[in-house]
Amino acid sequence: MSYCINPACPQPQNPPEAIQCQACGSRLLLRARYQVIQPLGQGGFGATFLAKDISLPGQPTCVVKQLRPNATSSRILEMARELFKREAKTLGKLGDHPQVPRLLDYFEAGQQFYLVQEYIKGSNLKQEVKNSGPFNESGIKDFLMEMLPVVEYIHSQGVIHRDIKPANILRRTQDSHLVLIDFGAVKDQVGQTVLLDMTDQTANTKFSVGTFSFAPPEQMAMRPVYASDIYALGMTCLFLLTGKSPKDLDFDAVTGEIIWQSHVYVSKHLEGILEKMLQPMVGYRYQSAAEVMRALNHQQEDTSSLSDGMVSKRRSHSQPTEDPTVFNADGSPWQSPAAKMAQDIRDRNTRLGLGRTSFTQGGGTGMSSNKTGRTPTGKTGITGITSNSGNKAGKVPAKWDANTLRAAYFKGKRDFADLDLTGLNLQKANLAGANFYESRFTRANLQGVDLSEANLGHARLVQANLKDANLAQAYCSTANFEGADLRGANLTGVYLSKANLRGANLCGANLTDATVSEEQLSLAKTNWMTIKPDGKRGFGL
């Protein structure tokens, strides 16, 4: 088939031997050598086609990119022509790298501009995740170690890609290597509103802002730097790990950081690297691909950390006290603001002698399983695993934070009794069925967390954020919820006997079938949206 590339053509398919389009009369052979076969992609301001170069033996396939300026004035067309030449020059300069498509030709015809590039047979990483599922940690490390040298190369040539994302990274069928495609201007709008105020020095910078979900703030403000590509590469890693577009993830309205940690299970080392790649403020981000590679390579060089700290599967996690460190360019350890706060809490707990409790039983150290359904105090509670608190002399402080807790739960651990988890951010974590007997969650962020059927007996949740949390069928006898935010929480069937609800906000909470007294509820904040234990809606009416 021969395909007509006239944007206004009503019937672009033509027989292979046709010289002119049978529908609109346009010439089908570009530059007397490129026969377009089929469209590959199209947007409002450009299109990409698969073509054959009939001037060469074997008629090899190639990619033809057509830029369609959205204007007719001579000034706009001249600007489009200048940007087109710059794009061609950039692609020509980068074509020596085996993981960047080679520029084969460029030309102008009928006030439209064309680039001809090497055709890379393969599928992009967006398709790969859709077909095969998300990457594990080992896959992400392999991805970064292959892509970072490519990014370092294009930066060494003075080029900022500005649109790194899964759809622009192909896995070449021939050798399974990754290839970075789509270098900017040829696919973007060249319109009067964009171009009229541009100077020769700023046009190429302002011409392309990339894809919104993957681009950092400074790039969306039309001030891209090399570190902008590092951010986009980090966002690409999140997509590969989760299968979710960044726009589908929550973000911190104060810092602008994407909240992604609860969606992935990776080692602390890799998590620290991704956090630094994804810093909204460019000054806190890695400034070059080489810096990221050094951080990744540091773990490989630290053989003592490798034995316990490195993970190669998505389902594995490193231990909190043996994680390799992520380093700044000057060699100093890097911590995100959130990590610094968590470290301060851990240091304080260590000074106070708080932390994870170990118990001695039968000459060994461990946790006992209570098969009778009784809590350590001897009172009947939920049936399941509870802690043996008979010997607390062996208390040993340990560094528990949100990530190590999630990791341990993911690996199958359910007993977290008597831990100090003050101030942790466990937003939207899945902790269903876990044992937190006597654990301390003071001022912890548990918004949206799943604690259904969990054991929270005697737990301290003072001023904890439990908004929209799921505590269905949880055992909360004698738990302290003073000042806690439980707005919209699912408390169906929860056991709240002797729990302190003074000042707790239960507005909009569902307490259907909950074990709780009227006296307890009178101390809490309720409203007409609160569902009472009898299933009826409304307090204070």
Side-chain angles (χ1 to χ4, degrees):
M1 181 183 73
S2 189
Y3 194 89
C4 178
I5 61 172
N6 177 7
C9 182
Q11 185 60 43
Q13 293 89 356
N14 287 271
E17 67 278 3
I19 298 175
Q20 288 185 311
C21 179
Q22 296 177 347
C24 68
S26 299
R27 287 188 177 183
L28 295 176
L29 204 60
L30 294 173
R31 208 172 172 95
R33 62 184 295 185
Y34 302 113
Q35 181 184 14
V36 176
I37 303 171
Q38 66 183 62
L40 294 176
Q42 187 166 338
F45 308 101
T48 306
F49 304 91
L50 184 65
K52 293 189 300 184
D53 187 350
I54 64 172
S55 69
L56 295 176
Q59 299 185 352
T61 53
C62 56
V63 172
V64 173
K65 290 190 174 184
Q66 178 191 50
L67 176 66
R68 300 167 179 170
N70 187 29
T72 56
S73 73
S74 59
R75 183 182 175 188
I76 299 302
L77 287 174
E78 184 57 36
M79 181 64 75
R81 182 178 292 108
E82 177 61 28
L83 293 178
F84 170 75
K85 289 179 179 179
R86 292 186 189 184
E87 183 71 20
K89 182 179 180 180
T90 296
L91 291 171
K93 182 167 55 176
L94 296 176
D96 292 336
H97 197 282
Q99 290 170 273
V100 176
R102 287 183 296 117
L103 178 68
L104 304 176
D105 197 1
Y106 73 100
F107 55 93
E108 178 182 347
Q111 293 188 339
Q112 292 180 348
F113 309 96
Y114 299 90
L115 293 172
V116 183
Q117 290 179 273
E118 172 189 10
Y119 172 60
I120 306 297
K121 185 178 181 181
S123 58
N124 64 51
L125 294 188
K126 183 177 180 180
Q127 296 167 329
E128 187 171 311
V129 169
K130 182 179 180 181
N131 295 332
S132 304
F135 284 33
N136 58 24
E137 177 161 338
S138 178
I140 289 297
K141 289 176 180 175
D142 290 343
F143 164 76
L144 285 172
M145 293 307 292
E146 184 168 3
M147 284 305 302
L148 286 166
V150 182
V151 174
E152 184 180 30
Y153 168 75
I154 68 172
H155 289 176
S156 72
Q157 302 299 310
V159 175
I160 304 169
H161 187 283
R162 296 172 297 191
D163 201 14
I164 294 176
K165 59 183 179 180
N168 284 341
I169 301 172
L170 299 181
R171 191 176 299 280
R172 190 162 47 204
T173 302
Q174 177 184 355
D175 55 13
S176 294
H177 283 307
L178 300 177
V179 179
L180 183 60
I181 65 170
D182 215 343
F183 282 79
V186 290
K187 73 179 185 63
D188 294 306
Q189 177 180 2
V190 182
Q192 189 167 359
T193 57
V194 176
L195 294 175
L196 279 179
D197 295 330
M198 288 185 179
T199 65
D200 185 64
Q201 288 76 21
T202 62
N204 203 34
T205 298
K206 294 188 176 182
F207 188 70
S208 173
V209 295
T211 302
F212 178 78
S213 297
F214 291 86
E218 76 277 358
Q219 184 172 322
M220 300 313 297
M222 296 186 179
R223 294 179 178 87
V225 294
Y226 293 129
S228 302
D229 283 346
I230 303 301
Y231 182 96
L233 198 61
M235 281 297 182
T236 298
C237 289
L238 290 193
F239 177 87
L240 299 179
L241 281 166
T242 65
K244 298 176 181 289
S245 171
K247 65 181 176 61
D248 296 326
L249 300 174
D250 293 332
F251 73 99
D252 190 314
V254 177
T255 66
E257 292 180 270
I258 300 293
I259 302 173
W260 54 271
Q261 289 83 348
S262 63
H263 297 277
V264 304
Y265 300 96
V266 296
S267 66
K268 288 286 290 179
H269 179 250
L270 181 58
E271 181 179 324
I273 290 173
L274 292 177
E275 283 183 349
K276 191 169 182 182
M277 292 176 73
L278 293 167
Q279 285 296 306
M281 294 183 65
V282 69
Y284 291 104
R285 200 182 307 152
Y286 290 112
Q287 298 301 299
S288 69
E291 285 188 27
V292 187
M293 285 190 287
R294 283 195 294 271
L296 283 168
N297 286 328
H298 178 265
Q299 185 179 32
Q300 297 173 8
E301 294 165 1
D302 190 346
T303 56
S304 62
S305 295
L306 271 172
S307 60
D308 294 310
M310 184 172 181
V311 296
S312 58
K313 300 294 182 182
R314 185 174 180 229
R315 301 169 69 92
S316 301
H317 304 270
S318 56
Q319 295 300 318
T321 57
E322 299 185 8
D323 284 320
T325 305
V326 179
F327 287 90
N328 295 310
D330 61 3
S332 60
W334 177 83
Q335 283 184 307
S336 69
K340 290 178 181 177
M341 181 181 295
Q343 185 63 54
D344 291 340
I345 293 170
R346 291 195 294 268
D347 291 343
R348 183 199 64 186
N349 292 342
T350 300
R351 290 194 301 271
L352 295 176
L354 301 175
R356 185 176 184 274
T357 304
S358 62
F359 303 98
T360 303
Q361 180 184 4
T365 300
M367 294 290 188
S368 67
S369 177
N370 186 336
K371 301 294 185 181
T372 64
R374 292 185 177 274
T375 69
T377 60
K379 297 181 180 179
T380 302
I382 59 172
T383 301
I385 298 175
T386 58
S387 65
N388 179 356
S389 57
N391 181 3
K392 295 192 177 183
K395 182 177 288 188
V396 178
K399 294 182 179 179
W400 284 92
D401 60 19
N403 296 309
T404 55
L405 186 67
R406 285 191 179 100
Y409 181 92
F410 183 77
K411 290 191 293 185
K413 181 176 174 61
R414 293 295 180 269
D415 202 330
F416 301 98
D418 199 22
L419 295 184
D420 188 271
L421 305 172
T422 301
L424 292 194
N425 183 2
L426 292 164
Q427 187 175 16
K428 296 186 177 180
N430 178 14
L431 299 169
N435 176 30
F436 290 105
Y437 187 84
E438 291 190 340
S439 289
R440 297 168 290 285
F441 291 93
T442 302
R443 295 184 300 279
N445 182 5
L446 302 170
Q447 183 172 351
V449 71
D450 187 356
L451 285 165
S452 56
E453 300 185 0
N455 183 353
L456 292 165
H458 290 262
R460 184 174 177 83
L461 297 110
V462 175
Q463 296 181 9
N465 178 6
L466 287 150
K467 186 177 180 182
D468 299 322
N470 180 13
L471 279 78
Q473 306 299 323
Y475 178 76
C476 302
S477 176
T478 324
N480 189 350
F481 290 94
E482 185 170 351
D485 186 354
L486 288 149
R487 287 177 292 172
N490 179 7
L491 302 173
T492 57
V494 66
Y495 189 83
L496 288 165
S497 177
K498 299 184 180 179
N500 179 10
L501 299 179
R502 184 181 299 275
N505 192 337
L506 295 172
C507 294
N510 184 354
L511 289 152
T512 303
D513 295 327
T515 301
V516 62
S517 68
E518 290 291 335
E519 182 180 357
Q520 286 174 284
L521 292 175
S522 67
L523 300 175
K525 298 176 183 177
T526 56
N527 67 357
W528 65 275
M529 289 290 291
T530 306
I531 300 178
K532 296 184 287 186
D534 61 4
K536 295 181 180 179
R537 188 184 297 275
F539 281 82
L541 297 178

